[in-house]
Amino acid sequence: MPFGSHALSARVATGLVAAAVLTLSGCGSDDAAETQASATSATSAAAAPTKKPTAKVTVAVDDMTFSPAEVTVRVGDTVTWKFSDRFPHSVQGMGDKAMGLNSPIFTSGEWSYTFTAPGSYRYLCSLHPEMRGTVTVEQ
């Protein structure tokens, strides 16, 4: 056998052994496939940002109270005040941060506000200042 063909045969044999090892290493378990699938789905999830659904929180305005008087929401969530009292009421923000909270006066119906910045928003009824509430907005 000439020298060149012996070297070629050795390279072919090495390649066949490497292929056999790779083939056999995948047999008997799907762990490698599951790991690859998990890595692929994790990469896809990280690459495509998901938009968090916004929450809708309701505060009842009835019997001279805001109920619940304190709520916690996330940035982008909406709070709706539902008025159903025999007396008229409003939602009036207290302090600089809550100046956007300024509903009309209602005896029935509803008014909503979407919170776009974190913080604590205190409010009261402009007709009944003893009626108070707080919306805490988290990131």
Side-chain angles (χ1 to χ4, degrees):
M1 183 184 303
F3 181 72
S5 67
H6 184 22
L8 180 61
S9 294
R11 278 189 257 160
V12 169
T14 302
L16 289 174
V17 169
V21 168
L22 290 173
T23 301
L24 291 175
S25 69
C27 292
S29 173
D30 288 335
D31 288 346
E34 289 173 12
T35 302
Q36 178 62 33
S38 296
T40 301
S41 65
T43 302
S44 298
T50 57
K51 183 177 179 182
K52 296 178 188 174
T54 58
K56 294 183 181 179
V57 175
T58 301
V59 175
V61 185
D62 188 23
D63 199 25
M64 299 293 288
T65 62
F66 293 113
S67 181
E70 296 181 13
V71 296
T72 300
V73 298
R74 299 185 71 75
V75 170
D77 289 350
T78 300
V79 176
T80 299
W81 286 265
K82 288 196 176 188
F83 299 87
S84 58
D85 201 348
R86 61 186 177 135
F87 302 105
H89 300 290
S90 69
V91 175
Q92 178 66 55
M94 297 168 51
D96 291 342
K97 187 171 209 69
M99 292 311 293
L101 294 173
N102 189 13
S103 78
I105 295 172
F106 288 95
T107 52
S108 64
E110 58 184 49
W111 181 77
S112 297
Y113 185 84
T114 301
F115 292 85
T116 59
S120 182
Y121 296 80
R122 297 179 309 131
Y123 64 91
L124 54 77
C125 171
S126 61
L127 302 174
H128 309 100
E130 69 279 3
M131 290 176 58
R132 294 174 181 246
T134 304
V135 177
T136 302
V137 182
E138 300 175 339
Q139 281 289 2

